[in-house]
Amino acid sequence: MDDLLKKFADKLIHAGLADPEGPGAPLIGGLDNALVWNRPAPEIPVLTPVFEQLNINALVHLRPGPPYDRIIGFLSDRALEGSGRITPGDCETRTFLHDLPVADRYDVTPIVDALSRRKTVIIQSPKTEKRSLGPAVIAPGTLTPEQGFVHVSSVCFACFVKFLSDYLWCLKTGHTDPEMDAVYRRILPFLEASGPGAVSPSSFSLMPGPFTDEAQVTAAMSQAGNQVVAHGLVDSYFGNISCCLNHTLYISQTGAALDELEGCIDPVPLDGSSSAGITASSELSAHLEIIARTGCRTILHGHPRFSVILSMDCDPDQKAACAFNTRCHTRCPVPRHIGTIPIVPGEVGTGPFGLCHTLPKAFDASDTVIVYGHGVFATGDVDFIPEFSHMTAVETLCKN
């Protein structure tokens, strides 16, 4: 258990979400023979009863580092003035978290109440109180700390995307306010210093194709997944990746961490002769349709945050008159682009508005496509080198 606690604390630090030491360092508890924590902390007496009342095996507590602390603090203050919830519009939040409850009291009761209905809770002390520490994000793990790590990471991603999406909208409509402007000015240095830069051969290392056997395919996929996570092109560590060889599609499993793909890649025969795809990525159907339509051999999908932000950008006049303005993520009828990169709506799965219907045809005009609120898909003919370059270039364009 100690190794697991350290592993996910280190992941939060390496992702830039937490300080490596001090009160802002990640705090993670797990049940083994007894309840153990990765470090001593004054929050432990409040958090320990949460295990008993929720019947969980792990709990992740994060006081986000900058710029997430400023962003989550601002959104939490606004939430406490209204519904008590933050409602991001990115795909991962809509699908898994739904909304983010905010409590104004660091106590067992509001924590348990929120976590009995949602996967996370944000604790933000009232403005009237002295704030020596920033907001806290708390998420349980039913079985392991991994679930809590994923959810607190997703909260940081979702709030980042929401604040900048909202700010861009307010700028376009002339409805910013001094407090929002102040937050943007304070986080701007972090925005300028973070994110992917121009891709050069020395900035990443990927296996060149063509690949001739399963071992080469899975090694190349694992390497590409590691690079996507290392370059911050994901929410937590999610995305998916596939490679076609000898009438078999090798694809990452559903829920698999892109930086730990060894043993988490499924071989799915293109003729449907096996049930191996039952554990494959939820976007297997989209991958299969893209390959059938384009003839590509490799597909890489990540959730770069600035690409997600701009994918949800819309002209205010157009949005006001649009009959689908509350269902943009599945039914936006307006052709939209960032540069030459198409943006399409669509939802995970095979429903009438599933990505398997909306995404493949967009590749007729481009080898890179952005999905509304969801991220970037890129294709290649031989290996993952062009997809990684294209994804990074799109994210840099969107950031700029």
Side-chain angles (χ1 to χ4, degrees):
M1 179 59 73
D2 288 339
D3 290 340
L4 272 179
L5 301 183
K6 184 179 186 305
K7 171 184 175 178
F8 289 106
D10 287 345
K11 279 180 174 286
L12 289 168
I13 294 166
H14 293 155
L17 302 180
D19 294 333
E21 55 188 24
L27 176 62
I28 307 179
L31 278 174
D32 202 350
N33 293 327
L35 177 59
V36 294
W37 297 87
N38 67 314
R39 65 177 180 88
E43 294 91 350
I44 289 176
V46 173
L47 298 177
T48 296
V50 176
F51 280 83
E52 302 164 0
Q53 297 192 39
L54 289 179
N55 192 27
I56 58 176
N57 282 334
L59 194 67
V60 177
H61 178 283
L62 176 70
R63 292 201 184 270
Y68 302 98
D69 54 347
R70 308 289 184 190
I71 290 171
I72 294 174
F74 170 83
L75 294 176
S76 297
D77 283 341
R78 294 290 168 96
L80 290 173
E81 294 168 1
S83 66
R85 297 178 179 276
I86 302 171
T87 53
D90 64 283
C91 175
E92 300 307 301
T93 305
R94 288 195 313 268
T95 305
F96 300 110
L97 300 180
H98 309 305
D99 54 35
L100 314 178
V102 181
D104 63 358
R105 186 161 52 96
Y106 201 99
D107 189 61
V108 176
T109 300
I111 293 173
V112 169
D113 180 60
L115 294 181
S116 65
R117 293 175 287 110
R118 288 291 185 265
K119 295 180 174 70
T120 68
V121 62
I122 299 170
I123 309 297
Q124 171 77 332
S125 58
K127 289 183 177 180
T128 55
E129 295 183 6
K130 182 179 179 181
R131 293 174 172 175
S132 57
L133 297 172
V137 183
I138 303 172
T142 306
L143 299 175
T144 74
E146 182 174 21
Q147 296 155 304
F149 159 77
V150 166
H151 293 141
V152 298
S153 301
S154 295
V155 167
C156 292
F157 179 93
C159 288
F160 184 97
V161 168
K162 177 173 174 58
F163 176 80
L164 287 172
S165 296
D166 289 353
Y167 190 61
L168 180 58
W169 178 260
C170 289
L171 286 171
K172 285 189 167 188
T173 57
H175 289 99
T176 61
D177 59 70
E179 188 178 6
M180 199 176 201
D181 289 332
V183 172
Y184 179 75
R185 286 194 299 270
R186 296 192 74 169
I187 70 172
L188 184 57
F190 297 96
L191 305 186
E192 292 172 337
S194 66
V199 173
S200 64
S202 61
S203 66
F204 69 95
S205 176
L206 296 177
M207 288 175 57
F211 311 126
T212 58
D213 57 39
E214 180 175 315
Q216 288 185 354
V217 166
T218 56
M221 290 174 65
S222 295
Q223 190 182 51
N226 268 298
Q227 290 293 309
V228 170
V229 175
H231 283 75
L233 299 170
V234 289
D235 162 15
S236 181
Y237 48 51
F238 287 134
N240 43 71
I241 183 171
S242 69
C243 180
C244 191
L245 176 69
N246 297 334
H247 307 291
T248 297
L249 182 70
Y250 294 86
I251 186 167
S252 52
Q253 293 179 353
T254 184
L258 283 185
D259 59 345
E260 296 182 21
L261 283 180
E262 293 81 2
C264 297
I265 297 172
D266 284 344
V268 181
L270 296 182
D271 63 5
S273 60
S274 167
S275 61
I278 196 169
T279 58
S281 167
S282 54
E283 287 161 2
L284 169 64
S285 57
H287 283 243
L288 291 171
E289 291 296 330
I290 292 168
I291 288 171
R293 187 179 184 102
T294 68
C296 71
R297 310 299 292 177
T298 55
I299 301 173
L300 187 60
H301 166 52
H303 305 160
R305 54 189 181 170
F306 289 100
S307 301
V308 173
I309 290 165
L310 280 195
S311 74
M312 299 189 290
D313 184 36
C314 186
D315 177 81
D317 294 334
Q318 190 177 68
K319 189 176 182 71
C322 181
F324 300 103
N325 65 10
T326 61
R327 293 166 289 173
C328 309
H329 60 292
T330 59
R331 305 190 190 183
C332 178
V334 180
R336 296 189 298 132
H337 296 77
I338 296 173
T340 60
I341 308 301
I343 303 170
V344 300
E347 58 190 351
V348 176
T350 57
F353 303 102
L355 290 178
C356 61
H357 304 302
T358 62
L359 184 57
K361 59 186 177 183
F363 282 100
D364 292 348
S366 174
D367 52 18
T368 307
V369 177
I370 302 173
V371 177
Y372 182 103
H374 189 42
V376 177
F377 285 78
T379 61
D381 296 326
V382 178
D383 51 39
F384 295 101
I385 294 172
E387 293 107 296
F388 187 83
S389 297
H390 294 159
M391 185 181 294
T392 309
V394 169
E395 177 69 350
T396 300
L397 171 66
C398 292
K399 175 186 171 182
N400 291 340

